[in-house]
Amino acid sequence: MGPPDVCGMLLCHAGPHRLAFHAHEVAAIASPEGRDAASARRAFHAPDGAARVLVTASGGAVGVDTLEIEAEPHRLLPAPPVAVAASGGSLRGFVLVQGRLWPLVGLVDFERFLRGLVEGE
């Protein structure tokens, strides 16, 4: 049996960097105004900023610059353990979409990882 398929993702940018999230992990998409959202740019050591905020069911929030919905199924490619560890355990694997490799991260774990980056500074 090959790698599993992933259906229903949000493809996002944090500056020039790509990130994908499972759509079912996103409870709402909001404006960043008045929201305490961890900017996805932090993962790439870039200044905070966001045009949209992905909100989890538990109320956590991650800010991204752009997003688009990808409904087609894509194979989930495994992530090297060192990359999973470097992402605080949030990296689930990679998907090849639009001829580009997108890291698929768990939204709740990624938000926790981003918050830890600020606390650790």
Side-chain angles (χ1 to χ4, degrees):
M1 187 161 125
D5 282 347
V6 176
C7 294
M9 293 179 289
L10 292 178
L11 304 177
C12 303
H13 282 95
H17 306 284
R18 295 181 302 276
L19 293 165
F21 300 93
H22 287 283
H24 68 83
E25 293 183 331
V26 179
I29 299 170
S31 169
E33 283 79 32
R35 283 238 181 238
D36 178 28
S39 174
R41 292 180 187 183
R42 292 178 191 171
F44 306 101
H45 304 287
D48 282 358
R52 292 282 179 251
V53 173
L54 308 179
V55 182
T56 69
S58 61
V62 172
V64 297
D65 294 322
T66 66
L67 65 88
E68 67 180 271
I69 297 169
E70 177 62 35
E72 296 298 317
H74 296 278
R75 292 271 179 228
L76 180 62
L77 306 171
V82 69
V84 173
S87 71
S90 65
L91 182 62
R92 305 289 184 252
F94 295 91
V95 289
L96 186 62
V97 181
Q98 304 167 350
R100 295 177 179 220
L101 205 56
W102 296 75
L104 178 68
V105 295
L107 185 58
V108 171
D109 291 334
F110 190 60
E111 192 252 353
R112 191 176 306 121
F113 167 71
L114 294 171
R115 298 249 184 232
L117 289 177
V118 172
E119 293 168 7
E121 292 181 349

